[in-house]
Amino acid sequence: MSNHLFDAIRAAAPGDAPFIRASGGRIWTYQDALDLSSRLASAMDTLGIRPGDRVAVQVDKSAEALILYLACIRSGAVYLPLNTAYTLAELDYFVGDAEPRLFVVSSPAREGVEKIAKAHGAIVETLDTDGTGSLLDLARDEAADFVDASRSADDLAAILYTSGTTGRSKGAMLTHGNLLSNATTLRDYWRVAAADRLIHALPIFHTHGLFVATNVTLLAGASMFLLPKFDPDEVLSLMRHATLLMGVPTFYVRLLQSPRLDRQAVANMRLFISGSAPLLAETHTEFKDRTGHAILERYGMTETNMNTSNPYAGPRIAGTVGFPLPGVTVRVTDPATGAVLPPDETGMIEVKGPNVFKGYWRMPEKTAAEFTSDGFFISGDLGKIDKDGYVHIVGRSKDLVISGGYNIYPKEVEGEIDQLDGVAESAVIGVPHPDFGEGVTAIVVRKPDAALDEKAILRALQERLARYKQPKRIIFAEDLPRNTMGKVQKNVLRQKYADLYA
Ligand code: ATP
Ligand code: MG
């Protein structure tokens, strides 16, 4: 019997070496994690969970929660992590859609979810950050001798819901083969080894913190500092003992705000990685100036794991997401005809490789619509591949603005606005316009006390952008709407300003 993903994790596990350094000080060795995952797998078996059953998990970040993921892989169950910010109404959708057999929540949430679980036929158990909870109680009574379920590369390991930036979250079905191939590739590409110590400050319900951070650590036999959340001061203090940080762009923006960030603070660090959203070239440059480190930006999505990465040894170019990973094919096509475009031309990014998911859970039509006839996944992201082979992301196709027959890429306009004195951030959208089809519209957040008005911004942009790209209106806002992953929700803005030019 073999278990495709877990066999590899087990083979890489260096016994008594540390795996997780929890924030309370407890160190979990690899053996500790193997033992608890075995007990948890047995407990789930006793509860009647069988291979292929979904196990939904909405708990706060802890070592035990990560080990529950391992237990699911071992038992053949399909791990289904849920964002801890989801409300009961949202949970009702996810539980109804995924029909998990078991729903693991934190104790205070138990009462609230009981009704939802019951309606959809799931049993509820608890797991808390202090190491208590009904599921852990059950696990304690089990022996650590679980026989791993047989799973092949093509069997499901997890269903991960997308971030819901462009609409309702979709369940991406990820196989053992998807996860193992991508994590192995990333480990080698980023040269992660047993001596590495990762600062893990990302959520563990999203592909970044769960699969990239955790699986890469496991397959390298490395260790991680598991933090409940990102706190710049705490991260800066840990850097003296760590070698690796994986973050979203806001981590880096916030680290740069600290006067403590300098070359000495990062003297022990080997690599800084960024992804999940675009890293501004400005952030990359400032970080390099302050620390001497070029942040390595990579690009991925829930459906595909990671697709591209800047090189470890070669130039890490700001504003690009680097090269297609080994074994992954990335191409750019004309969205209208599907024809493959030459270098430097912008179009739809399409991906093929062992990293690409099996399809959307219970959405066969949507799955079929998002794959080409020759098996490429249509990412929904627009970009180009330059002459040196670096991939550039321009933005999502849903966010492209078409005004007067011209294509306008919001990122280009936002880049110009963000450079103006007094601008904190901006979002450029297209909203219905009687003459132009869509009118380019900028939502701008000013820096505190900035005396910047609409006229001043429009005037400044006149010299910087072709006329058709210039916003018709500038609207000031206190902040931009973001989803629970911190991504700007342009669909919310488009709705809000739909009648602006009516
Ligand atoms: P939904 O699909 O539900 O609308 P989402 O696409 O935000 O939400 P995720 O799978 O978490 O859900 O995010 C993947 C997307 O994040 C990519 O398609 C891309 O648009 C963006 N992204 C990830 N990494 C980068 C990066 N380095 N640069 C630019 N964009 C990135
Ligand atoms: Mg998406």
Side-chain angles (χ1 to χ4, degrees):
M1 290 234 281
S2 69
N3 182 304
H4 188 76
L5 176 55
F6 199 75
D7 287 352
I9 291 172
R10 186 198 289 281
D16 290 331
F19 166 39
I20 295 173
R21 298 162 204 275
S23 50
R26 169 152 187 203
I27 294 179
W28 293 76
T29 66
Y30 273 86
Q31 195 55 51
D32 293 338
L34 290 176
D35 287 350
L36 181 60
S37 65
S38 175
R39 292 177 203 278
L40 282 165
S42 295
M44 288 193 287
D45 184 62
T46 305
L47 288 169
I49 312 306
R50 299 289 166 256
D53 285 346
R54 274 80 59 205
V55 173
V57 180
Q58 190 196 36
V59 296
D60 289 320
K61 193 175 171 185
S62 69
E64 290 85 347
L66 262 194
I67 295 168
L68 176 58
Y69 153 64
L70 295 179
C72 288
I73 299 299
R74 297 183 68 163
S75 69
V78 179
Y79 186 68
L80 197 152
L82 293 169
N83 192 319
T84 44
Y86 287 150
T87 61
L88 285 179
E90 287 166 317
L91 286 180
D92 190 48
Y93 161 72
F94 290 109
V95 174
D97 186 46
E99 294 187 326
R101 189 78 178 262
L102 171 64
F103 190 7
V104 184
V105 298
S106 57
S107 292
R110 179 169 202 146
E111 210 185 307
V113 303
E114 282 289 359
K115 214 171 114 202
I116 293 171
K118 206 166 186 180
H120 302 292
I123 39 177
V124 179
E125 298 292 344
T126 61
L127 186 145
D128 298 314
T129 51
D130 62 358
T132 62
S134 65
L135 187 63
L136 289 166
D137 288 343
L138 291 172
R140 217 161 282 129
D141 296 336
E142 303 278 353
D145 60 356
F146 185 77
V147 179
D148 299 338
S150 173
R151 292 278 97 178
S152 71
D154 201 41
D155 283 321
L156 286 196
I159 296 175
L160 213 60
Y161 281 87
T162 59
S163 296
T165 309
T166 58
R168 184 156 251 194
S169 297
K170 302 143 280 183
M173 299 190 286
L174 295 158
T175 65
H176 277 238
N178 293 151
L179 301 184
L180 180 58
S181 68
N182 204 239
T184 309
T185 301
L186 294 174
R187 175 196 64 192
D188 297 343
Y189 207 74
W190 297 335
R191 304 191 191 173
V192 183
D196 272 307
R197 293 167 167 217
L198 169 75
I199 300 177
H200 192 311
L202 294 159
I204 55 170
F205 48 74
H206 183 258
T207 186
H208 196 169
L210 183 62
F211 297 140
V212 182
T214 306
N215 285 343
V216 167
T217 301
L218 284 162
L219 291 175
S223 65
M224 57 166 85
F225 293 98
L226 196 71
L227 307 179
K229 60 174 186 16
F230 175 77
D231 174 86
D233 266 321
E234 192 176 9
V235 167
L236 275 158
S237 302
L238 273 178
M239 281 184 194
R240 276 183 286 136
H241 313 286
T243 62
L244 191 59
L245 176 68
M246 292 185 191
V248 290
T250 40
F251 282 19
Y252 295 103
V253 171
R254 291 187 55 202
L255 284 170
L256 279 165
Q257 286 164 356
S258 168
R260 289 175 60 198
L261 183 77
D262 58 19
R263 281 175 191 253
Q264 213 193 327
V266 303
N268 200 50
M269 293 290 288
R270 180 176 73 80
L271 183 60
F272 292 91
I273 299 174
S274 175
S276 290
L279 181 79
L280 293 181
E282 183 191 327
T283 311
H284 182 103
T285 314
E286 267 183 56
F287 200 85
K288 178 100 196 265
D289 290 346
R290 283 268 285 282
T291 66
H293 277 275
I295 298 171
L296 184 155
E297 185 173 7
R298 89 315 176 264
Y299 158 65
M301 48 199 302
T302 306
E303 294 92 331
T304 62
N305 298 284
M306 301 306 107
N307 297 311
T308 73
S309 171
N310 269 280
Y312 187 78
R316 301 175 194 158
I317 311 272
T320 83
V321 292
F323 305 115
L325 288 164
V328 180
T329 309
V330 176
R331 68 183 187 189
V332 175
T333 62
D334 181 332
T337 65
V340 178
L341 293 173
D344 282 331
E345 282 193 30
T346 298
M348 178 63 77
I349 294 180
E350 296 181 354
V351 194
K352 191 175 185 173
N355 53 316
V356 177
F357 75 143
K358 217 172 163 163
Y360 292 110
W361 172 255
R362 289 183 178 164
M363 294 171 112
E365 279 106 36
K366 176 148 184 77
T367 302
E370 307 292 336
F371 279 90
T372 65
S373 55
D374 58 347
F376 278 77
F377 175 62
I378 305 167
S379 71
D381 290 319
L382 297 172
K384 64 176 185 186
I385 304 178
D386 68 22
K387 290 199 176 60
D388 298 321
Y390 285 83
V391 177
H392 300 239
I393 310 282
V394 185
R396 296 171 189 262
S397 63
K398 284 186 177 166
D399 294 337
L400 177 75
V401 184
I402 305 177
S403 185
Y406 289 105
N407 284 355
I408 295 123
Y409 300 105
K411 190 179 169 187
E412 184 188 355
V413 183
E414 289 160 4
E416 294 298 341
I417 297 175
D418 292 348
Q419 279 178 37
L420 302 176
D421 275 346
V423 172
E425 58 176 352
S426 64
V428 167
I429 55 169
V431 293
H433 190 290
D435 301 332
F436 297 97
E438 285 186 308
V440 182
T441 306
I443 321 300
V444 174
V445 179
R446 280 177 285 211
K447 285 187 178 151
D449 306 325
L452 198 63
D453 62 14
E454 181 170 14
K455 272 207 187 105
I457 294 183
L458 290 175
R459 207 178 313 120
L461 292 178
Q462 274 172 15
E463 299 146 25
R464 294 163 181 252
L465 290 169
R467 198 179 171 83
Y468 71 92
K469 297 180 190 170
Q470 292 169 17
K472 308 253 172 299
R473 286 289 313 273
I474 305 285
I475 292 160
F476 292 104
E478 290 298 310
D479 49 28
L480 300 176
R482 291 180 195 270
N483 65 13
T484 48
M485 282 303 297
K487 303 187 193 209
V488 177
Q489 289 168 303
K490 291 196 171 176
N491 54 341
V492 172
L493 289 172
R494 280 192 289 266
Q495 256 168 27
K496 183 163 178 191
Y497 298 109
D499 299 330
L500 193 64
Y501 305 107

